Amino acid sequence: MDATQFSIAFFATLLTGEAVIFALTFSAASSWPSLRAIDGHIAFREWVLIGWFAALFTGCGLLGDSAVSATYGALLFLLANIFGVFSFVRLFGLASIGGRNQLLRRTLAEALTAQTVGAGRGPLSYGLEHDPIVNSYLGTVSQATTGNDPTAIRHLVDQLVGAEVPPEAIDNTIIVHLDVLHRLVRATLAGGVDPIQVVSCAHALIDSVIGHCRRLSDPAPPLGALSRYLAWLANTALLMSVRGVASSRAARELAALTTDARLKILRCVDPDPKSAANQDELGSILTGPLQVLLWTGDFTEFHGAHQASALYGTYEILTGTKFMGNYWDGASILTQLRQSLYGGEGRVSTPEADAARRAFGSVEAYDHFWALVSVTALATLRDARLPHPPELVRPEFTPNHQLLGAYLRTFATHRYFTSATQAREALLSLVCRADPPGSAAAEIRHSRGGRTYRLPVPLIEPQQRPAAMVLAIACRLAPLTPDESDAELRDLLALLPPPALQATARLAARVLPGAAEESDPVEAVVTGLAVLQLVGAHTREGT
């Protein structure tokens, strides 16, 4: 009987110890980790159940004077004590932040894996959107940002970054990564959270997304979504800083983050980057022409940093050769790419070029595709009327009109027509032509699969931007040097219906310098497109 009494006393001691540790470590209102996750980790219910059976058999043995029942009770108490030591050790491990993080990483990974994407469906599945574990995690992130708790934010980000998921759960994992990234930057822009801490966590999230993209067979959609979001974020930080909503310190740190992160993405895509931080940045993670075309279209939206430089990697992936020109001197990458794929004397016969020709189809389809890309790029240029505070100036994120002209010129020098009449036909093709099945644009739309990645940056089809369509065609007739004539450009604008011309002038006033000062819509477009003449001016002055 003494042994049984000792077992009961030891069981009570373990139970008291677990209660003390739990009370000191966890809050009753805590949803991350949840009580269910803690219980699953320490097997508390199983342990208590064994103890209950032990007490039941012991009590029956004592009341009924049954030695067999009392013996079973003593044995069960012995088993409960062994199980209790295991549970106590597991709970004691959770008392440290490292132990909790390990549990939460595994819990989060299991939740993301459980909500795998079905074939042909977008990753934003109903299950992921309403998963209690994922929502508890995201709610805890919001609480940490609201409470301005940098330590909690750092641990929460580490839990997500350290979650190991199988390939089929990568899309879900990237969705949560981008969701957390947006919550953090929103908190520092509008909530006053320390931007240094947010930027540090954002770099960890971005590196993790890129690492997950390397494991995907088609990394272009998530990588493009991240590229678009970073470009949008830089413009949003600038706008909120100018309007006094966000502090200049927060906007400065986020502008630097977007510039550095987009350069990191660019190095991962470029097959032969100028510099690489590590071995992983050597060689492109995009393996096919459709992948690089999807990513390029996304990367050139929202006037993001290193926009023109992205086309160098695109050229090399599509042709298997390097483009040796300098866009700052006015060299046209898209024109050279057209010549390499469809030209006569300069035609390239590499396997990469053959694959690119199969992806585009005809040269007319090539021209149509890049015209559509330029539509979205022009429509999302930064507002040229906004002042650009000096503290927000970064390489490739400046109010420099020459840099804007260089970005615009990468598309404006793709001149597949030369007269106003031909330009009008090209404009009608952009407005009326549907992408046939098998075309590059149709295949890209199919590969996206409706994936939005929970970002506040909607994908808008070029056909929904009529003013940008007109401007995309008009820039291909605009003079590239001061001594060129603008007669064809003016003729094209004269052919437009007044509502279309007015809408184009309003867009030009927003995105092109000098256009807002002109009252006449034709002069507004012509004056705004004169920014193209700033590119290569240093070489013209030297001749």
Side-chain angles (χ1 to χ4, degrees), residues 51-85:
W52 180 81
F53 275 114
L56 179 65
F57 275 99
T58 301
C60 290
L62 293 175
L63 292 175
D65 196 20
S66 172
V68 175
S69 180
T71 301
Y72 277 122
L75 291 175
L76 285 174
F77 265 121
L78 179 62
L79 177 61
N81 289 335
I82 295 174
F83 211 89
V85 171

Side-chain angles (χ1 to χ4, degrees), residues 333-373:
I333 300 178
L334 295 183
T335 300
Q336 183 61 43
L337 178 59
R338 189 178 192 266
Q339 182 69 19
S340 299
L341 295 180
Y342 298 101
E345 184 177 346
R347 183 186 177 95
V348 176
S349 300
T350 60
E352 293 85 354
D354 293 337
R357 280 187 282 268
R358 288 192 297 269
F360 282 117
S362 64
V363 64
E364 290 79 12
Y366 171 93
D367 294 332
H368 183 76
F369 175 83
W370 286 113
L372 291 177
V373 171

Side-chain angles (χ1 to χ4, degrees), residues 237-250:
L238 171 64
L239 179 62
M240 294 182 70
S241 175
V242 170
R243 292 181 175 178
V245 177
S247 67
S248 59
R249 178 171 177 259

Side-chain angles (χ1 to χ4, degrees), residues 125-142:
S125 62
Y126 178 89
L128 177 63
E129 190 175 8
H130 296 85
D131 184 87
I133 295 177
V134 174
N135 284 332
S136 294
Y137 171 78
L138 295 176
T140 306
V141 172
S142 296

